[in-house]
Amino acid sequence: MAVVEQKTVDTGEAEMRLDRWFKVHYPGLGFGHLQKLLRSGQIRVDGSRAKSDTRLQAGQSVRIPPLQVDAKADGQHLTGKSIRGREDGDVLSQMLLYEDPKVFVFNKPAGLAVQGGSGVNRHVDDMLEAWRNKKGEKPRLVHRLDRDTSGVLVVARTRGAAQALTAAFRERETKKTYWALVKGIPRKREDKITTWLVKETTPDGDRMRVAQHGEPDSDHAVSYYRVIESAGQVLTWLEMEPYTGRTHQLRVHAAHIGCPIIGDPKYFEADTNWSFPGGIQNRLHLHARRIRVPNPSGSGIIDVTAPLPPHMVQTWNLLGLDERDGDDDN
């Protein structure tokens, strides 16, 4: 027999939006279904009707009608395929890692584009229309990730926050840490990579290449890397940090040192004696693991870490790698 439940809001959930609270406790509940339950008054807070943007307080009681979905179901991993058919607000809720009055931070799944372009039917910038605030402001992108790169994506909630975050990225006051699985082992355990990059048009589309200093339209690009762990002599887990922010920078720089990123369709060129490791998906193994950026509210640093996407979790498990070995407190 279906029953109505009452759940108490925990102290750590104070000021959380009601729709985010449901996404934490009932990840399988769709955005549209939640809205219908709210409109019909079946979900209540302390006995009163509530809206999706209602801010909860510790100790409040939330009425939960029969939902026909499991509490705390395994819904934390989205992929480019799994988001098809889902409403934009639902997808954004599942991607959300952090929020405050000025900022959202999402864990973008591999395969989801950040902005529109040729052959792109759905992208984050368009999905953000679903989260316009009461003033009609749409959240604003302040940096980008490649379509096939997963991980932390910072979005400003207001115009002022967008200006402050854009300035922080421009002035390099942010620190972005990526994880990559690459072919082979770099000659040095850690190093700085500095080149000039230029965009060129090929039959397979635009790509970046290493250019000569002073070549027209080229840009200076600087990256840092360190080896976290190697799997035999075949594969290496790298931590990479882009100092500049050029298109495909980390992908080109990994290939430039002779260690292209596994599954990279543009820059991975293996010799004829190299075979793709069995059990590993031929998808880009590049993940924006962590970002540290000044909070536009002026209150310290936003520091957010994103869990690996499913295809990289599978690879890490296959190779016996432990995520905890790659995280530091610096």
Side-chain angles (χ1 to χ4, degrees), residues 56-161:
L56 297 172
Q57 300 301 321
Q60 286 185 317
S61 178
V62 181
R63 181 187 189 274
I64 314 293
L67 297 177
Q68 299 180 330
V69 296
D70 293 332
K72 295 185 179 178
D74 183 17
Q76 70 271 31
H77 281 315
L78 287 172
T79 65
K81 290 183 179 179
S82 72
I83 66 174
R84 292 175 188 167
R86 300 192 187 190
E87 296 184 59
D88 290 345
D90 180 20
V91 175
L92 291 172
S93 291
Q94 287 195 260
M95 288 165 49
L96 190 67
L97 294 172
Y98 168 89
E99 68 168 316
D100 66 27
K102 301 286 187 181
V103 176
F104 291 125
V105 182
F106 298 106
N107 183 17
K108 186 191 80 67
L112 176 63
V114 172
Q115 288 184 297
S118 177
V120 175
N121 296 318
R122 196 177 192 186
H123 53 86
V124 175
D125 192 34
D126 188 46
M127 293 165 65
L128 289 170
E129 290 283 353
W131 278 12
R132 285 185 179 272
N133 63 20
K134 292 179 180 178
K135 296 179 180 178
E137 285 185 300
K138 173 188 163 187
R140 296 168 169 84
L141 297 170
V142 292
H143 70 124
R144 313 286 183 266
L145 290 177
D146 293 343
R147 181 174 185 167
D148 292 325
T149 301
S150 58
V152 284
L153 180 70
V154 178
V155 173
R157 298 181 66 167
T158 66
R159 181 186 301 275

Side-chain angles (χ1 to χ4, degrees), residues 14 18 38 64 98 120 138 177 218 226 257 263 275 285 288 297:
L18 182 59
L38 288 167
I64 314 293
Y98 168 89
V120 175
K138 173 188 163 187
T177 302
S218 63
R226 73 176 179 95
I257 63 171
S275 58
H285 281 58
S297 68

Side-chain angles (χ1 to χ4, degrees), residues 302-323:
I302 296 171
D303 186 343
V304 182
T305 297
L308 288 173
H311 72 281
M312 290 181 69
V313 170
Q314 178 183 335
T315 299
W316 260 235
N317 290 338
L318 182 71
L319 299 176
L321 302 174
D322 188 336
E323 284 189 50

